[in-house]
Amino acid sequence: MDKALPSSLQDASVATSRPSRPSYLRRLVLLVLFIYVALRSAYYLNWIESDKATVPLHASEISDKCRLLDVKPGPPPDFNQRAKSDRFVPGTPPTLIKNASIWTGRVDGLEVLQGDLLFDKGIIQQVGLVNAGLLAAYDNLRIVDAQGAWVSPGIVDLHSHIGLDPSPFFAGASDTNSHKGLILPWLRALDGLNTHNDAYKLSISGGVTTALVLPGSANAIGGQGIVIKLRPTKDKAPTGLLLENPYSTNGSEYDPSVSRRWKQMKHACGENPDRVYSGTRMDTIWAFRQAYEKARQIKVAQDDYCSKAVAGRWDGLGDFPEDLQWEALVDVLRGHVKVQTHCYETVDLDDLVRITNEFKFSIAAFHHAHETYLVPDTLKSAYGHPPAVALFATNARFKRESYRGSEFAPKILAENGLQVIMKSDHPVLDSRFLLYEAQQAHYYGLPANLALASVTTSPAIAMGMDHRVGYIKKGYDADIVLWDSHPLALGATPKQVWIDGIAQLDAPYSSPKPEASQHIPRTPDFDKEAEEAVEYVGLPPLEPTPSRARTVVFTNVSSVLIREEGSIREKFAAQSGAGVVVARDGRITCSGMAELCSDRVLDVDAEYVNLEGGAIAPGLVSYGSYLGLEEIRSEASTIDGYVLDPLRQIVPTIIGGDSAVINALDGLQYSTRDALIAYRAGVTTGITAPKSSGFLSGLSTVFSPGAKHKLEKGAVIQDVAALHFNVYYGGSPSVSTQITALRTLLLSEGKGPLAHWIGQVKKGKIPLVVDVESADAIASLIQLKRQVEAETSKPIKLTITGASEAHLLAKELNDASIGVVITAARPHPRSWQQRRILPGLPLSETNAVSVLLAHNVTVGLGVHESWMGATRDGTPHGCARPAVYLIAALETGGEISKADALALASINLETLLGVHVGDLESDLVATRGGDLLDSAGRLSGSFPRGVASWI
């Protein structure tokens, strides 16, 4: 027994060393739980420390980048409360235009305010009733009294290549198209924009203040466009032209976390990319889908990355997924880009609409879009919203995909609720005359408010700039045009243009316009024609309907103009429009008041036609294009083709070798759509020479555009009219070689067909017609004519065509008895040989036509493309429809009468080009509602050479 402890204590110790089972288990559980929690906590703390170690140093930058992905483009909320424009030039004086008729662009283009307009610091301060107290605060206010004249926002061009396509053209500065791939979204128009370009000043003189400059259409995705203001800037650099530079990295310029700036992207489908890359539409559309799938994958990767980054899950994220080449296309999918798409045909429109729905992005506008009027519902099914439609007014049929284009497309599209835009595609059409596209669209049925909007507010919306341009509203950019007449009146010309509040025209010239030009022009009703355009899927019947009677009685005639002794004179005018004209077998037998002609109506089957105040005048003549030799210019199977050039090619002996002369008569095509449309516009005579890209063209022929075939009576008016040559620059053969060749032909006695026709020229029986632009080459031709006449002692008839610089030699041309056919009545310096144009109002006091006429030079006006026969005045290139000649008259203060204006498009051309007209009164046209120079007039019928037909 142990003596250390009493026995009772020993028993207690034994008892306490053996706890009960429940207590033991509880302690064991607690111990295990403690160990688990400790280990878990240690793991968690270690995980946190480990995770914190992988947070990148630029995490905040990545977070900011992720947040910016969701920022929508557009102006900041307080944009129009700005005190001054970001483009304001210090020292620019404030300007008040008072007593103006102000078309604001507001209320769907229906708002017109009579009042004043104040702008300062580059923005519009007040419109309508200007606060007198505000005016009193200025000590340097410039005041312009509009005297009731029209004021509009600056013209906005949604489709231009100005600055990328040089004016005049130089191969070393042509930067519109890259041929490095079908898909090139990473290219930027800014990188090719050239500020050395004559077109900027010319376009401003037409009222254009803003333009979207796009890459060309050689590629499916051609690159990124840029919006520019056209005024020159102090830095003289392309970047200074940008409106809301989307590439700016200057944080003080704008805050991208508040609002993004719109980017622009050019797409194209159809013939152009197919041709350039030898593919098909299937190839092009697959290229689109491939590109957008690549962009979609990048977007998904970015979104996934950002969702983890925002949640703080940095482990293993790596770098932000981006690719400089594809970032712009990813931006398209995020809705940050205005996609501008070149598409003509239904198949292409449908393809692109399907792509928008597959990849979920919107198209801002379809451009050219010649068949959109046939498929408005297709456009309405595009993702997001229906695209706007940017059109030419009448430029069509130049390639297959434009063949079904209609002058009624703007009207039809507007009636289907689609936004209509008129654009230039400069230099395809000179953007100086973009307003003319709106005037034509209005003539063919587009309401006046929408016609003006089509070159101001609507393009501003489509490019995402309608928060600052396209309207006259407080807080908007001071881009303003003061017009000499209503903007939709033919010949409307700026008296002054302001961009960012800065006057752009130094000492502009102006000419008074008639009162009628100060109002919205009356236009004909084309509802039936528009319906037929849709019914016949763009190809309505155009053939004229022969008259059923030999005698036609025209009632409610306002005037009659006839040919007489080499000129046109007014034979009859009725102030009340109640005159009567009796024509039998296409010849006028009586004209005057009804009672004077009652005894002349002897035919009981006479046909009566109410002209509703219309007129009768000589038919028009078309020259300068290949009308009658081609149907679709770019389709070789539809054209006569080009003649071989003896200075550059070996001409086969089977056709006569170097002495061969081709006659256009042998290649005439009838019932072409351009010829029939020209006929419906009043053209009763076509003069065409063989198609040539070289020195010798051949013999021109004279034909009726309304005939069915060559063997029909009156289809060929004259087999041979003149012998045609071209003197052109281009390196080989030299201009001096070409002049030498002409000299040799004219001074030598050769054999063969060419020598025969040169002999006819030397005998004065047919004219020698030379197409040439440069004043230097024209001077050489003047000297050549003098030399030939001096050595042969016989005068020859020489006519210069093209003639962009002929005004510089007006006196010399008259002295040499040389006539001129100008084929660009509204000139543009397309080539170096055309750089010395006389632009006309407002840049010069007069134009080339009036200068030549003032020196007694016989002048005709022509065209250089077949489609121009359908236009109202053919500007900028001239045309068969003679409103251009009214414009010529208006630009010279009325010095050219209506009769003389008509002569420019008819008898003068016949005289200059060797057409012999026997019956002076047999080639006439009748217009309903107005005359050929009136926007209210439309052709009712033609009776050339005794054959009456109705339109």
Side-chain angles (χ1 to χ4, degrees), residues 384-443:
H385 60 79
V389 186
L391 301 161
F392 296 125
T394 55
N395 185 5
R397 299 171 296 282
F398 45 88
K399 54 183 176 177
R400 182 197 170 279
E401 61 188 6
S402 69
Y403 190 59
R404 295 173 190 265
S406 172
E407 59 269 37
F408 308 112
K411 166 186 168 66
I412 296 167
L413 289 164
E415 289 172 349
N416 279 274
L418 294 167
Q419 190 172 56
V420 174
I421 295 167
M422 310 311 296
K423 52 91 177 85
S424 73
D425 195 13
H426 181 95
V428 173
L429 299 183
D430 181 2
S431 62
R432 177 186 175 192
F433 304 107
L434 175 54
L435 181 63
Y436 175 61
E437 295 299 292
Q439 293 168 351
Q440 290 185 92
H442 177 238
Y443 175 77

Side-chain angles (χ1 to χ4, degrees), residues 571-773:
K571 183 174 183 179
F572 165 78
Q575 296 296 327
S576 63
V580 169
V581 173
V582 179
R584 184 169 177 81
D585 296 332
R587 301 183 62 178
I588 295 177
T589 59
C590 182
S591 62
M593 303 310 291
E595 57 272 15
L596 297 177
C597 296
S598 58
D599 61 336
R600 298 297 182 95
V601 185
L602 303 177
D603 190 342
V604 294
D605 295 324
E607 188 170 0
Y608 286 77
V609 178
N610 183 357
L611 292 185
E612 302 171 11
I616 292 176
L620 306 173
V621 176
S622 177
Y623 170 76
S625 73
Y626 296 111
L627 190 71
L629 292 179
E630 60 184 17
E631 177 77 328
I632 304 174
R633 187 177 67 226
S634 65
E635 292 288 342
S637 64
T638 73
I639 66 175
D640 177 52
Y642 288 87
V643 301
L644 298 173
D645 181 29
L647 286 187
R648 296 191 302 176
Q649 299 160 299
I650 297 175
V651 182
T653 55
I654 194 172
I655 63 171
D658 289 347
S659 67
V661 180
I662 306 303
N663 190 340
L665 173 67
D666 297 325
L668 279 180
Q669 301 178 36
Y670 285 83
S671 296
T672 67
R673 296 196 72 79
D674 280 325
L676 291 172
I677 288 172
Y679 187 78
R680 294 169 72 91
V683 178
T684 58
T685 302
I687 305 172
T688 190
K691 201 165 188 176
S692 171
S693 60
F695 171 64
L696 173 61
S697 177
L699 300 170
S700 56
T701 192
V702 189
F703 68 101
S704 171
K708 294 179 180 179
H709 56 79
K710 188 187 299 183
L711 301 182
E712 183 179 278
K713 180 182 178 181
V716 176
I717 298 168
Q718 189 171 313
D719 289 358
V720 174
L723 179 61
H724 294 252
F725 289 86
N726 308 292
V727 172
Y728 59 94
Y729 288 72
S732 178
S734 67
V735 170
S736 51
T737 299
Q738 295 168 65
I739 298 295
T740 298
L742 273 176
R743 181 181 293 109
T744 301
L745 288 170
L746 289 167
L747 292 178
S748 63
E749 297 295 333
K751 295 181 180 180
L754 182 55
H756 166 76
W757 289 108
I758 287 290
Q760 296 297 100
V761 169
K762 292 162 68 174
K763 293 175 183 178
K765 292 187 176 181
I766 63 171
L768 176 67
V769 178
V770 182
D771 191 80
V772 60
E773 304 288 354

Side-chain angles (χ1 to χ4, degrees), residues 12-27:
S13 174
V14 172
T16 58
S17 66
R18 295 178 181 176
S20 65
R21 183 172 295 276
S23 176
Y24 173 78
L25 291 174
R26 187 163 48 252
R27 290 183 180 183

